[in-house]
């Protein structure tokens, strides 16, 4: 989720690049940098922190030139420090690269290049691209990039400049992550998001996967993944500036819901070796001895992150057999919690700034517990107090209602459970990893329910109460569905374990109360079905999210939202998607401010 921009043309490049970065700053802001080609050599400036730091640096150390690239970073590989900021240069100082995404096989390539004598000075996967392209470079940058590409696996976009190019040129690659080119008169632009270009041109070319583009003052040349020169259609964008920031969606929340296939992929990419079955993290290492000494795990969180923790309990207990306790951050430190060095405490917080969670983590640390943060925002408070960090790679989440931050937390908890299993010396079966590889596609499949959920929203937006039901690993998803509806539509909603209905809430059921139920999983499908029969017998209106054949729910469901099946442990990540869509569409129909619901804040830094 980094922001990237590039320019070639007659105008001074640095102000143009900075203006583009300003429009992309919301995508990531742990560091920023710019590289230009000046008198045939690469010159760059980078600074840790927000863009203003880079602007100050450039005021005292100016750069000039007529072509270059610039970047705002949201760290994935390597700490958010200046050394790891982009643009990253190769060991011979010939190539500078900016990059958004992840090179999944960067480690074997890095080892090979190191053996060939290439030095590495950052912790980034990007440096592999710089050195690899440089190793192929003979004055034609686009050709060098095309030669390097087949070796790189993953989803990414990047832009490069080189010292020693035969003419002014910027080269761009799109491999799964968006990249758009802007066409001007005698000048060309590129960016990860059209928002960065539209002040200068509305004529754009969207690259396709595998495309390599060469931008010169005269124009743009594009080669497809097979190396064939191709033409891509020129489009005229008529978006207004606000629509542009939201990627064409009406709200950030909608954009972020739709970013989930990519966000879940980014969260496991580069951490799982699908060949060997090995799991490794950048900033979290627990030795086999440490993990063997653990007796319990405690997960601390608030709100949506607390729901993720409830799913995490299932995952960790199932995959490691270690007992797991889940606590609200706001409750943990107001009793005398039991924790010591035999307890692994994981503070789960998207923002990493939620004071309830951070203070609960402090309380655990004071008791000598092993402390890990699971967070989305690099350098946030939770990440600073923990001994290790497991980052979700969701990218910035602007909508107050968590969507992609939640699904990526579930992916990270699955990885953590597998990692603990590995460190306990237990095998990681192939099917556990195969399910993960299939996940982004399954999430994309669930997004196709958008029209069906909108039909339901038309019906449900006048409801005064909605009940969400689930069992087992789907019960936290019922809680999350209810929370999403509450916070963005202001409709009263409750999540309940389906099996508990008969102990009280069934008294609420009549033809006016819509019920949204989650029915999946080998262990609970039939049980949930029986619970729904009890609801139907009392005239309840039932909507079911399932990974089964809808025909299996004949007679118990008024509406079935059928999602792709993954595996029982990952199914919550797919099942929550239609609940997010439904809450969003109901909120929009009720005219609520879905991105900034009343009374709420994105990070809650008060107790
Ligand atoms: C989720 O939609 C909410 N905005 C809220 O419950 C949130 O999850 C909670 O405040 C915790 O935030 P955190 O993950 O940043 O700690």
């Amino acid at each position: 989720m980094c922001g990237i921009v590039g320019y070639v043309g007659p105008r001074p490049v640095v102000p143009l690049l900075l203006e583009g970065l300003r429009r992309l700053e919301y995508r990531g802001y742990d560091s920023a940098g710019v590289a230009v080609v000046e008198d045939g050599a690469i010159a760059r400036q980078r600074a840790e922190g927000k863009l203003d730091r880079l602007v100050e640096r450039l005021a005292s150390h100016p750069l000039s030139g007529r072509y270059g690239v610039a970047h705002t970073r949201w760290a994935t590989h390597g700490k958010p420090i200046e050394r790891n900021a982009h643009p990253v240069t190769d060991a011979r100082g010939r190539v500078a690269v900016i990059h958004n995404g992840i090179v999944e096989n960067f480690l074997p390539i890095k080892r090979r290049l190191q053996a060939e004598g290439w030095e590495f000075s950052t912790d980034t996967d990007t440096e592999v691209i710089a050195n690899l392209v440089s190793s192929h470079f003979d004055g034609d940058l686009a050709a060098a990039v095309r030669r390097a590409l087949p070796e790189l696996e993953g989803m990414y976009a990047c832009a490069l400049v080189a010292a020693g190019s035969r003419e002014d040129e910027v080269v761009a690659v799109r491999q799964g992550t968006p990249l758009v080119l802007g066409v001007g008169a005698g000048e060309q632009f590129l960016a990860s998001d059209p928002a960065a270009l539209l002040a200068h041109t509305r004529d754009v070319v969207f690259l396709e996967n595998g495309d390599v583009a060469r931008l010169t003052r005269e124009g743009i040349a594009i080669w497809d993944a097979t190396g064939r020169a191709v033409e891509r259609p020129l489009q005229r964008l008529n978006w207004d500036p606000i629509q542009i920031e939201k990627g064409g969606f009406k709200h950030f929340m909608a954009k972020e819901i739709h970013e989930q296939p990519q966000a879940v992929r980014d969260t496991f990419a580069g951490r799982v070796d699908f060949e060997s079955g090995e799991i490794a993290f950048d900033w979290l290492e627990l030795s086999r001895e440490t993990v063997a000494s653990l007796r319990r795990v405690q997960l601390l969180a608030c709100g949506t992150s607390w729901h993720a923790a409830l799913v995490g309990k299932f995952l960790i207990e199932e995959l490691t057999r270690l007992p797991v306790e889940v606590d609200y951050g706001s409750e943990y430190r107001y009793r005398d919690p039991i924790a010591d060095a035999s307890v692994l405490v994981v503070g789960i917080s998207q923002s990493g700034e939620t004071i309830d969670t951070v203070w609960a983590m402090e309380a655990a640390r004071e008791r000598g517990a092993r402390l890990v943060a699971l967070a989305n925002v690099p350098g946030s408070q939770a990440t600073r107090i923990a001994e290790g960090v497991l980052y979700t790679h969701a990218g910035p989440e602007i909508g107050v209602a968590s969507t992609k931050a939640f699904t990526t937390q579930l992916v990270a908890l699955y990885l953590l459970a597998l990692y603990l299993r590995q460190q306990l010396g237990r095998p990681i079966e192939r099917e556990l990893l195969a399910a993960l590889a299939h996940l982004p596609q399954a999430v994309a499949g669930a997004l196709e329910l958008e029209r069906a959920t909108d039909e339901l929203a038309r019906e449900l937006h006048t409801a005064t109460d909605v009940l969400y039901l689930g069992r087992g690993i789907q019960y936290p998803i019922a809680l999350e569905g209810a929370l999403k509806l509450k916070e963005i539509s202001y409709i009263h909603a409750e999540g309940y374990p389906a099996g508990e209905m008969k102990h009280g809430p069934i008294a609420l059921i009549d033809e006016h109360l819509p019920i949204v139920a989650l029915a999946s999983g080998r262990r609970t499908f039939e049980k949930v079905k029986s619970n729904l029969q009890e609801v139907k017998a009392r005239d309840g209106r039932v909507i079911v999210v399932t990974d089964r054949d809808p025909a299996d729910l004949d007679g118990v469901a008024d509406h079935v939202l059928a999602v792709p099946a993954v595996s029982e442990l990952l199914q919550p990540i797919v099942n929550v998607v239609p609940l997010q869509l439904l809450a969003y569409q109901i909120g929009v129909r009720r005219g609520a401010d879905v991105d900034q619901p009343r009374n709420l804040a994105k990070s809650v830094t008060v107790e």
Side-chain angles (χ1 to χ4, degrees):
M1 274 304 290
C2 305
I4 70 184
V5 291
Y7 174 76
V8 55
R11 293 194 266 173
V13 65
V14 174
L16 275 173
L17 292 177
L18 289 177
E19 183 201 316
L21 287 187
R22 189 67 77 195
R23 293 180 191 275
L24 296 181
E25 207 188 1
Y26 74 94
R27 293 174 72 106
Y29 38 74
D30 57 52
S31 61
V34 54
V36 296
V37 179
E38 235 176 38
D39 303 327
I42 288 173
R44 67 176 171 164
Q45 286 298 343
R46 301 173 299 162
E48 196 178 317
K50 296 205 173 193
L51 184 56
D52 285 340
R53 300 269 296 274
L54 177 68
V55 174
E56 279 163 26
R57 179 75 55 88
L58 284 163
S60 54
H61 300 82
L63 297 176
S64 60
R66 291 181 316 273
Y67 65 108
V69 290
H71 189 264
T72 55
R73 180 163 186 252
W74 180 270
T76 57
H77 289 75
K79 295 195 169 142
I81 51 177
E82 186 173 324
R83 181 166 55 84
N84 291 329
H86 296 211
V88 172
T89 50
D90 71 300
R92 298 181 188 162
R94 301 196 300 184
V95 170
V97 57
I98 54 172
H99 168 216
N100 173 27
I102 296 169
V103 177
E104 291 168 13
N105 61 337
F106 79 99
L107 256 184
I109 303 180
K110 182 171 178 175
R111 286 192 195 118
R112 197 200 74 218
L113 288 169
Q114 279 171 325
E116 289 170 11
W118 290 87
E119 281 174 18
F120 284 78
S121 56
T122 76
D123 312 313
T124 65
D125 51 341
T126 310
E127 200 173 6
V128 158
I129 306 176
N131 277 335
L132 193 61
V133 170
S134 179
S135 72
H136 289 291
F137 182 60
D138 58 5
D140 182 343
L141 184 57
V145 169
R146 293 205 310 273
R147 280 196 288 270
L149 264 193
E151 296 188 53
L152 300 168
E153 289 168 18
M155 306 273 280
Y156 57 87
C158 54
L160 309 93
V161 289
S165 281
R166 292 192 194 113
E167 60 181 312
D168 295 3
E169 64 176 350
V170 178
V171 171
V173 182
R174 178 194 167 154
Q175 193 66 51
T177 305
L179 196 63
V180 59
L181 311 182
V183 182
E187 58 182 359
Q188 325 297 337
F189 306 81
L190 69 84
S192 45
D193 192 317
L197 310 174
L198 295 184
H200 303 290
T201 177
R202 288 181 171 256
D203 292 328
V204 300
V205 175
F206 288 96
L207 291 182
E208 293 185 10
N209 281 343
D211 282 355
V212 173
R214 177 166 183 260
L215 286 69
T216 58
R217 286 176 172 226
E218 285 67 44
I220 292 171
I222 303 173
W223 296 266
D224 71 8
T226 66
R228 204 165 44 97
V230 285
E231 296 267 336
R232 300 287 178 218
L234 186 68
Q235 298 182 35
R236 175 152 268 262
L237 285 186
N238 291 318
W239 297 354
D240 68 46
I242 294 170
Q243 232 185 337
I244 290 159
E245 252 206 332
K246 292 177 183 157
F249 289 93
K250 261 175 90 181
H251 299 98
F252 282 111
M253 183 178 177
K255 176 171 179 268
E256 287 156 6
I257 290 173
H258 283 270
E259 282 171 350
Q260 289 180 110
Q262 182 68 42
V264 300
R265 181 189 296 279
D266 286 350
T267 300
F268 68 75
R271 293 165 155 180
V272 180
D273 185 330
F274 285 94
E275 287 293 302
S276 66
E278 205 184 318
I279 315 276
F281 303 120
D282 277 351
W283 301 333
L284 172 64
E285 203 177 333
L286 296 166
S287 68
R288 285 179 171 241
E289 296 69 44
T290 302
V291 178
S293 71
L294 297 176
R295 293 289 157 262
R296 273 180 308 140
V297 177
Q298 291 178 343
L299 304 178
L300 310 179
C302 297
T304 287
S305 298
W306 186 77
H307 298 153
L310 292 178
V311 176
K313 174 179 166 70
F314 269 84
L315 301 175
I316 297 171
E317 290 189 343
E318 179 95 6
L319 292 168
T320 68
R321 307 311 298 152
L322 280 166
V324 181
E325 296 158 7
V326 176
D327 251 292
Y328 284 114
S330 54
E331 291 295 319
Y332 185 79
R333 74 189 199 113
Y334 291 105
R335 52 173 210 273
D336 189 5
I338 302 170
D340 58 27
S342 71
V343 180
L344 176 68
V345 170
V346 185
I348 306 172
S349 173
Q350 178 281 132
S351 61
E353 302 289 355
T354 300
I355 208 75
D356 290 323
T357 306
V358 170
W359 282 353
M361 291 169 72
E362 299 266 20
R365 188 172 62 166
E366 280 161 19
R367 286 162 175 78
R370 309 302 305 253
L371 189 61
V372 168
L374 195 157
N376 192 46
V377 180
S380 54
Q381 184 64 7
T383 67
R384 287 201 295 268
I385 62 172
E387 61 185 280
V389 185
L390 178 48
Y391 280 110
T392 49
H393 292 160
E397 191 179 67
I398 314 282
V400 165
S402 262
T403 52
K404 61 176 182 167
F406 176 66
T407 44
T408 54
Q409 283 171 340
L410 299 189
V411 174
L413 284 161
Y414 185 73
L415 295 179
L416 178 65
L418 290 176
Y419 178 72
L420 294 173
R421 182 181 174 87
Q422 162 188 295
Q423 299 305 80
L424 286 168
R426 299 183 51 193
I428 296 182
E429 289 78 4
R430 293 267 150 199
E431 54 273 23
L432 292 170
L433 298 183
L436 199 53
H438 179 54
L439 185 63
Q441 203 188 330
V443 172
L447 286 169
E448 287 173 19
L449 288 167
E450 199 166 14
R451 190 169 292 169
T453 51
D454 200 34
E455 283 294 308
L456 283 170
R458 189 202 302 266
E459 228 178 272
L460 297 187
H461 78 282
T462 51
T464 49
D465 307 271
V466 180
L467 190 59
Y468 287 74
L469 299 176
R471 279 188 96 144
I473 199 166
Q474 299 300 332
Y475 162 54
I477 302 307
L479 294 176
E480 175 60 10
L483 178 64
K484 284 289 89 88
L485 189 67
K486 273 186 264 208
E487 67 181 334
I488 58 174
S489 76
Y490 319 138
I491 293 177
H492 170 245
E494 294 299 332
Y496 226 76
E500 281 291 301
M501 285 286 290
K502 54 188 176 293
H503 299 292
I506 200 162
L508 294 171
I509 306 287
D510 62 17
E511 69 276 21
H512 303 298
L513 181 70
I515 314 276
V516 180
L518 296 139
S520 23
R522 153 180 68 81
R523 280 175 282 200
T524 54
F525 178 79
E526 290 301 333
K527 299 282 173 205
V528 171
K529 207 171 144 184
S530 314
N531 300 141
L532 292 179
Q533 251 137 11
E534 292 153 17
V535 172
K536 265 316 308 152
R538 286 155 185 86
D539 292 331
R541 175 153 190 65
V542 179
I543 296 145
V544 182
V545 175
T546 187
D547 58 341
R548 299 287 182 96
D549 182 344
D552 291 351
L553 288 149
D554 278 353
V556 294
D558 296 292
H559 285 283
V560 176
L561 295 169
V563 294
V566 261
S567 67
E568 190 151 15
L569 296 181
L570 292 175
Q571 199 63 42
I573 300 170
V574 181
N575 288 5
V576 77
V577 172
L579 304 191
Q580 297 168 340
L581 289 170
L582 187 62
Y584 167 73
Q585 290 155 335
I586 291 176
V588 171
R589 280 181 184 275
R590 287 169 69 94
D593 183 350
V594 292
D595 279 339
Q596 288 182 311
R598 67 186 183 202
N599 309 337
L600 295 176
K602 188 64 187 163
S603 57
V604 184
T605 51
V606 290
E607 238 198 315

